[in-house]
Amino acid sequence: MIEQKAILLFSFGYISLLFAIAFYGRKRAEIGKSIISNPYIYALSLAVYCTAWTFYGSVGAASRSGITGFLNIYIGPTLTMILGFPIIRKIIRISKANKITSIADFIASRYGKSSTVAGVVTIIAVLGIVPYISVQIKAISTTYQLLSSSSRPDALTQLPPIFHDKALFVALLLAAFAVLFGARHLDATERHEGLVAAIAFESLVKLLAFLSVGLFVTYGLYYGFADLFEKSGAIPEIKRLFVMEMNASEFSGWYSGLFLSMLAIIFLPRQFQVIVVENVDEKHLNKAIWLFPLYLLLINIFVIPIAFGGLLGFHGEKVVDADFFALMLLLAEHHNALTLFVFIGGLSAATGMVIVETIALSTMICNDLVMPVLFRLSAFRLSQRNDLSRILLYIRRAAILLVLILGYLYFHFVVKYYTLVSIGLISFAAVAQFAPAIIGGIFWKGATRAGALSGLIAGFLIWAYTLVLPSLAQARFPLESFLTYGPFGIELLKPQQLFGLGANLEGFNQYAHTVFWSMFFNMGLFFGVSLFSTQNEVEKKQATLFVDVFKHSVEAEKSSFWRATASVGELKSILERFLGKSRTHEALEMYAKENHINLEQELTADAGLVSYAEKLLAGAIGSATAHAMVTSVVQEEPLGVHDIMSILDETQQIIIYSRELESTTKDLAAANERLKELDHLKNEFISTVTHELRTPLTSVRALAEILHSNPDLDADRHQKFTGIIITESERLSRLINDVLNFQKIKSGKIQWEFSETDMGEIIEDSVVSTSQLMHDNHIELKLDLPKKRAYASVDRDRFIQVMINLISNAVKFCDRDQGEIEIGLSREQNSICVYVKDNGIGISPADREIIFEEFRQIKDSSTRRPFGTGVGLTITKHIIEAHNGKIWVESELGKGAKFMFTIPITQISGSSQWTGMTQLPV
């Protein structure tokens, strides 16, 4: 026994040293001289993976199962660091580019910055990690009692009432340490350089402590490895541990543990924090991929010797737990100084994990659970407060306390019935549910928010049902009947033998059973739902940014994904509310200096500043809430003239190149004349597109300002104005789609998805899409469609675009007073013929020859302005010819125009859907 005063003195002295290191690290970071910008410190910080579960639990596992009982938990991370390097590097790059602050923030940002996804991930993380935190509380509490109690070790298994339990005070002290280390102030990047420095130091201490007790047992109590193993082999109970044979249950458990540990090294919130969020330099990962496995090797060298030494030393005696052989052997030999050092090593392992884990979880709870709810509850009136930074800090501190209280309660009621390793695997299985959403999301653009949510929720529910419920039952919760007979007596739904799997497959142990079913449903729903659901625009943007992160520069991201403007004052006001005035001033000053601008003289923020402000906010309140806050003061804009100029860059380069060769030959001279004509057409095209874009933009902006300035506008005018905004927005979308599709055609990057499609349905869907356009222009529509279906192998979406282009074109040229459009479909011997006819101004013979060329437009005789952008018919012709079809126009001036195209038939079947000539009201 060691005096309590000595234990407390050494413990608080060690914690004070950690505070000094953390303080020094933070101060150095503030003056730009980071002490953690070092690959060795980065690698040591990753060793926060080695908790009390490693320091004590590995010995306990080895004493029960030999080398197979613990080694898989360390082989898994080694394999991930070496083989998973591309995945880790990509996650780090994405997180730096998007100011990611937690694993919930990462997943939410990938799936459209969804607050729902962030909330679900946070709940899974908190409930999944609580058991792991309880392990640390158990380790600190039990080892303290071992050192300070004169009672027999077996007496320590009797826990006192909650308010007399020293473990409760351990939890409260850990909460205080976590607040002091990581929740004293709000950081816009959520990086804690001082904390990382302290964690790296802790990793050294726990390694040296474990090596010390290992050397003492191996060479102090015995004469080396050979002597220790020889004496162990003489006892049958210990000799069996030398045999590395596994039955089916142990085999499945070993590989499920290997799989879970491979995922846990990245997806545990604390590991994501140190590997990703706290990473200073991406290049540090190059050394960490071998330094961290080396650390794991060193800290496991003496696990078997300590386990065998404990089995030999306490053979035939009743002990508290083999998990604590390292301390008990030293106590038995009365080596108090070394015992205290080893206790400090175990304290380092437990406190390091708890502090980093609770900081990571508190960030997630604040950003992704509490703040979104508070913003939606008018009772809190957060939108009216000028400074929310202190509220954020209070929420995070309360979250730290909550997590540790939950950890204590789990320890008090459940953990005393389990070994440290078995409880740790429960948490590993929980965080494994993040793997499909993250790994799938960074490599597959088609992954959707609905798919990720479905997989996460299903995997989490199966984890809770098949693993947590049985653990509670073993802890004497009244669930025996439920586990024995299943819900409502349905045996196939018994938690430990779901769908009969486990009962019918020999050796499918509890953890393997949970891993199989949770990942089966998680991955199945993730991929299945994603394939049959669609992404919104934000999801598509984020998917591209994440999957193609190595292709996008910062400037490309600004120009391609954040076309928006806002008031500098409004952005500054939002930043000050969450970051405080001083931090906001520093951040904006840095941006202004880097971009050579004076924000004091700027009234309107460009896309770059908007994007920068959102990322700053994301560091404080998470990407989902930050996106919602910024978009509340931002007006997004569609493509502008500069974007269109970039689309035509290829043509411009051709023109420049041809001009340089103008004098070489007559053929080149002729080509040059042609390119000059294209240059003239391009300039005319830009002028037209600019006019076409500005007209609806002006209307939308003017009406939006009226609605914004007059919130009490009467309902009729409100409806009228919003209707105009919607119509003009649809017009903008059509213009932008034309330009973007033209760019794809020119670059050869257009992709086709052919399928057997009913051409009549395509015509009908296109009519529905353009019905409002025809209604606004007072157009009468007639359809002439056959009774039988007419099928062709086409890209359905592209042909809807063809029909919309032809119908929109017909609307433009229809008679202004009595417009009439006729659309027909007929089947010929080997093809389908479709026509769109209008009663408009008609097309001259000269124009009929060139109307399908790019940039060619027919001018309105009254305004002399061209109709449309001049690329719609070019796109239409390209799509039809890609389907082995042909398009032409029949027209005379003053007698309307009839556009016709044919495509090959594949089959005609089905019953009557349309009957002859039909006149539709539009």
Side-chain angles (χ1 to χ4, degrees):
M1 182 182 75
I2 301 175
E3 289 187 7
Q4 292 186 13
K5 291 182 180 179
I7 300 171
L8 293 175
L9 180 63
F10 272 87
S11 299
F12 281 99
Y14 177 69
I15 296 296
S16 299
L17 177 61
L18 292 181
F19 273 123
I21 294 172
F23 179 79
Y24 178 73
R26 181 187 167 197
K27 287 299 180 183
R28 295 287 291 180
E30 288 176 352
I31 62 174
K33 297 182 179 181
S34 172
I35 65 171
I36 70 167
S37 185
N38 181 295
Y40 300 98
I41 292 180
Y42 178 65
L44 283 173
S45 71
L46 305 192
V48 73
Y49 176 80
C50 299
T51 66
W53 188 34
T54 297
F55 200 88
Y56 297 118
S58 293
V59 173
S63 67
R64 289 181 287 272
S65 306
I67 196 169
T68 61
F70 73 97
L71 201 57
N72 56 339
I73 306 303
Y74 305 98
I75 293 176
T78 301
L79 291 175
T80 297
M81 292 300 294
I82 296 172
L83 303 179
F85 173 79
I87 295 175
I88 299 173
R89 177 171 170 259
K90 191 169 188 178
I91 291 174
I92 291 174
R93 178 70 63 85
I94 290 168
S95 299
K96 285 184 178 294
N98 293 274
K99 290 287 192 298
I100 300 295
T101 59
S102 67
I103 195 166
D105 199 15
F106 186 96
I107 300 176
S109 185
R110 164 60 180 85
Y111 297 102
K113 302 185 179 180
S114 167
S115 58
T116 304
V117 172
V120 169
V121 172
T122 300
I123 291 171
I124 294 173
V126 171
L127 296 182
I129 296 303
V130 160
Y132 211 155
I133 291 175
S134 71
V135 167
Q136 316 310 311
I137 295 173
K138 175 181 179 179
I140 296 173
S141 174
T142 304
T143 53
Y144 174 78
Q145 291 182 70
L146 280 173
L147 266 63
S148 62
S149 175
S150 58
S151 305
R152 288 181 53 80
D154 54 297
L156 300 178
T157 58
Q158 303 299 321
L159 292 177
I162 289 180
F163 293 105
H164 293 83
D165 189 355
K166 293 179 181 178
L168 175 61
F169 298 100
V170 169
L172 295 176
L173 283 173
L174 288 174
F177 293 154
V179 168
L180 291 172
F181 270 105
R184 282 185 297 169
H185 61 86
L186 196 65
D187 196 326
T189 63
E190 280 310 315
R191 287 182 51 235
H192 309 82
E193 294 210 5
L195 173 63
V196 173
I199 294 301
F201 179 76
E202 281 192 316
S203 296
L204 274 178
V205 170
K206 65 191 174 191
L207 176 62
L208 292 174
F210 198 80
L211 290 176
S212 298
V213 69
L215 289 170
F216 171 78
V217 171
T218 306
Y219 295 99
L221 298 181
Y222 300 93
Y223 297 104
F225 288 98
D227 179 49
L228 176 59
F229 291 151
E230 181 182 350
K231 286 183 169 58
S232 300
I235 300 177
E237 292 86 346
I238 306 178
K239 185 177 181 180
R240 67 178 178 80
L241 300 177
F242 285 88
V243 181
M244 296 182 62
E245 294 181 356
M246 292 185 285
N247 58 35
S249 176
E250 292 170 337
F251 185 80
S252 68
W254 197 88
Y255 277 100
S256 64
L258 177 69
F259 173 74
L260 291 177
S261 62
M262 289 180 70
L263 299 180
I265 189 59
I266 306 175
F267 302 135
L268 282 167
R270 70 174 185 277
Q271 295 303 134
F272 190 90
Q273 182 76 25
V274 294
I275 293 176
V276 178
V277 178
E278 304 290 353
N279 178 270
V280 175
D281 188 340
E282 189 180 301
K283 294 178 182 178
H284 292 170
L285 189 63
N286 297 330
K287 274 194 170 62
I289 61 173
W290 63 267
L291 281 173
F292 178 60
L294 176 62
Y295 184 98
L296 294 180
L297 173 65
L298 291 174
I299 205 168
N300 281 284
I301 285 178
F302 290 106
V303 169
I304 290 293
I306 294 173
F308 285 2
L311 291 171
L312 287 170
F314 299 105
H315 183 61
E317 294 186 29
K318 185 177 181 181
V319 297
V320 58
D321 197 331
D323 287 337
F324 302 103
F325 274 163
L327 278 178
M328 293 170 62
L329 284 168
L330 294 173
L331 284 171
E333 296 296 322
H334 304 291
H335 283 277
N336 290 353
L338 185 55
T339 301
L340 274 174
F341 181 52
V342 173
F343 170 76
I344 292 298
L347 182 68
S348 281
T351 55
M353 176 271 177
V354 170
I355 290 171
V356 180
E357 200 80 82
T358 53
I359 289 172
L361 291 177
S362 69
T363 300
M364 294 160 65
I365 291 171
C366 175
N367 293 354
D368 304 313
L369 279 183
V370 179
M371 290 306 293
V373 172
L374 293 184
F375 274 114
R376 286 170 172 79
L377 296 178
S378 58
F380 289 93
R381 298 181 179 178
L382 292 187
S383 60
Q384 300 176 14
R385 302 197 181 194
N386 294 325
D387 188 353
L388 297 174
S389 56
R390 295 189 66 82
I391 293 178
L392 292 174
L393 277 177
Y394 292 144
I395 292 172
R396 293 186 185 191
R397 292 167 183 173
I400 289 173
L401 180 61
L402 172 65
V403 169
L404 279 161
I405 291 298
L406 290 175
Y408 167 75
L409 293 175
Y410 195 88
F411 155 74
H412 189 86
F413 292 107
V414 179
V415 170
K416 62 183 179 182
Y417 299 99
Y418 292 92
T419 62
L420 298 181
V421 169
S422 61
I423 289 296
L425 285 174
I426 293 177
S427 293
F428 278 22
V431 299
Q433 307 310 315
F434 301 147
I438 292 180
I439 298 177
I442 65 175
F443 289 105
W444 181 35
K445 291 182 183 178
T448 67
R449 170 181 173 274
L453 264 179
S454 301
L456 285 167
I457 293 172
F460 172 67
L461 291 177
I462 291 173
W463 165 80
Y465 186 73
T466 60
L467 195 58
V468 177
L469 281 182
S471 73
L472 295 177
Q474 187 173 337
R476 300 180 185 177
F477 282 76
L479 296 169
E480 290 81 1
S481 176
F482 182 82
L483 296 178
T484 304
Y485 303 106
F488 309 107
I490 304 174
E491 290 196 7
L492 285 179
L493 297 181
K494 290 195 296 185
Q496 292 174 299
Q497 297 175 353
L498 197 60
F499 305 135
L501 191 57
N504 297 332
L505 293 184
E506 181 183 355
F508 214 57
N509 83 345
Q510 181 180 4
Y511 296 102
H513 173 248
T514 295
V515 169
F516 176 83
W517 281 119
S518 63
M519 298 309 292
F520 175 81
F521 280 100
N522 190 333
M523 295 176 67
L525 287 172
F526 172 71
F527 288 106
V529 174
S530 290
L531 289 172
F532 292 98
S533 58
T534 57
Q535 298 173 321
N536 59 36
E537 288 305 313
V538 179
E539 282 185 74
K540 290 177 183 177
K541 293 174 184 177
Q542 293 300 107
T544 301
L545 283 176
F546 274 54
V547 176
D548 297 334
V549 66
F550 294 111
K551 298 179 183 178
H552 288 285
S553 67
V554 174
E555 290 302 319
E557 177 190 339
K558 290 178 185 177
S559 61
S560 299
F561 296 96
W562 241 130
R563 294 184 179 90
T565 57
S567 162
V568 171
E570 289 177 318
L571 285 179
K572 185 178 179 181
S573 176
I574 290 178
L575 290 173
E576 288 177 349
R577 289 174 61 200
F578 293 98
L579 305 180
K581 290 187 177 182
S582 61
R583 291 183 181 276
T584 299
H585 178 73
E586 291 173 7
L588 293 180
E589 198 173 58
M590 184 183 300
Y591 178 85
K593 185 177 181 181
E594 291 176 354
N595 293 272
H596 309 291
I597 60 175
N598 187 348
L599 289 178
E600 297 297 329
Q601 298 177 358
E602 297 288 338
L603 297 177
T604 303
D606 61 7
L609 181 55
V610 172
S611 179
Y612 178 74
E614 182 177 341
K615 288 180 179 180
L616 281 176
L617 278 178
I621 57 177
S623 61
T625 307
H627 183 68
M629 293 301 301
V630 170
T631 51
S632 68
V633 298
V634 162
Q635 175 67 48
E636 275 201 85
E637 297 178 351
L639 287 169
V641 175
H642 292 293
D643 302 297
I644 297 168
M645 287 293 291
S646 66
I647 292 172
L648 299 173
D649 183 64
E650 183 179 354
T651 303
Q652 183 68 24
Q653 293 303 317
I654 294 173
I655 295 170
I656 294 171
Y657 177 75
S658 66
R659 283 174 176 169
E660 293 174 349
L661 302 175
E662 186 176 2
S663 61
T664 56
T665 65
K666 290 182 179 181
D667 291 336
L668 288 176
N672 187 54
E673 289 299 321
R674 169 62 177 156
L675 290 172
K676 285 182 179 179
E677 182 184 5
L678 282 177
D679 190 32
H680 173 72
L681 291 172
K682 181 205 71 174
N683 292 333
E684 195 170 77
F685 164 73
I686 292 173
S687 175
T688 302
V689 171
T690 302
H691 172 78
E692 291 287 336
L693 289 173
R694 282 179 176 171
T695 301
L697 269 177
T698 302
S699 299
V700 169
R701 182 155 190 166
L703 292 173
E705 287 176 352
I706 292 172
L707 292 173
H708 179 73
S709 303
N710 299 276
D712 299 324
L713 203 65
D714 62 271
D716 291 339
R717 296 181 68 191
H718 188 278
Q719 185 175 4
K720 177 183 177 181
F721 289 167
T722 54
I724 294 172
I725 289 173
I726 292 169
T727 301
E728 293 299 309
S729 298
E730 290 171 349
R731 177 182 170 191
L732 278 171
S733 296
R734 288 194 296 272
L735 289 168
I736 292 167
N737 285 337
D738 278 349
V739 176
L740 291 177
N741 285 318
F742 173 72
Q743 188 270 340
K744 288 181 181 178
I745 290 170
K746 294 295 291 181
S747 62
K749 294 180 180 179
I750 194 167
Q751 296 180 351
W752 305 99
E753 296 182 6
F754 293 93
S755 63
E756 296 292 327
T757 306
D758 181 5
M759 292 301 296
E761 285 187 359
I762 287 179
I763 293 174
E764 190 177 57
D765 290 345
S766 304
V767 168
V768 172
S769 297
T770 56
S771 61
Q772 186 63 41
L773 177 65
M774 288 186 279
H775 178 272
D776 293 342
N777 287 274
H778 310 291
I779 305 295
E780 180 181 345
L781 174 67
K782 295 181 180 180
L783 287 180
D784 185 10
L785 302 174
K787 294 181 179 181
K788 293 185 178 179
R789 297 176 182 269
Y791 285 90
S793 180
V794 300
D795 186 323
R796 188 179 190 280
D797 291 339
R798 299 295 179 189
F799 260 83
I800 287 179
Q801 183 183 0
V802 164
M803 291 305 303
I804 289 175
N805 283 350
L806 292 177
I807 295 171
S808 301
N809 193 66
V811 170
K812 294 173 190 175
F813 293 96
C814 262
D815 186 277
R816 297 291 178 88
D817 301 316
Q818 295 181 334
E820 183 176 300
I821 294 176
E822 181 179 334
I823 303 173
L825 180 150
S826 63
R827 177 196 174 192
E828 299 179 359
Q829 185 175 358
N830 295 312
S831 64
I832 295 171
C833 181
V834 178
Y835 69 87
V836 178
K837 181 180 179 183
D838 64 74
N839 65 344
I841 61 176
I843 305 172
S844 68
D847 286 337
R848 288 204 302 269
E849 298 298 324
I850 61 172
I851 197 169
F852 294 102
E853 294 180 9
E854 61 196 45
F855 308 143
R856 296 289 185 176
Q857 301 162 279
I858 297 178
K859 291 182 171 59
D860 184 352
S861 59
S862 62
T863 65
R864 304 302 299 168
R865 289 209 64 85
F867 285 91
T869 61
V871 295
L873 289 177
T874 305
I875 295 168
T876 299
K877 183 174 185 287
H878 179 87
I879 293 172
I880 291 172
E881 290 180 347
H883 289 75
N884 298 317
K886 181 182 178 183
I887 184 170
W888 68 96
V889 61
E890 297 176 356
S891 177
E892 291 181 16
L893 282 174
K895 295 184 179 181
K898 184 178 182 180
F899 284 84
M900 307 177 68
F901 68 86
T902 60
I903 54 173
I905 246 179
T906 54
Q907 68 178 53
I908 297 181
S909 62
S911 60
S912 172
Q913 284 196 350
W914 306 276
T915 56
M917 182 74 71
T918 305
Q919 183 168 315
L920 298 180
V922 293

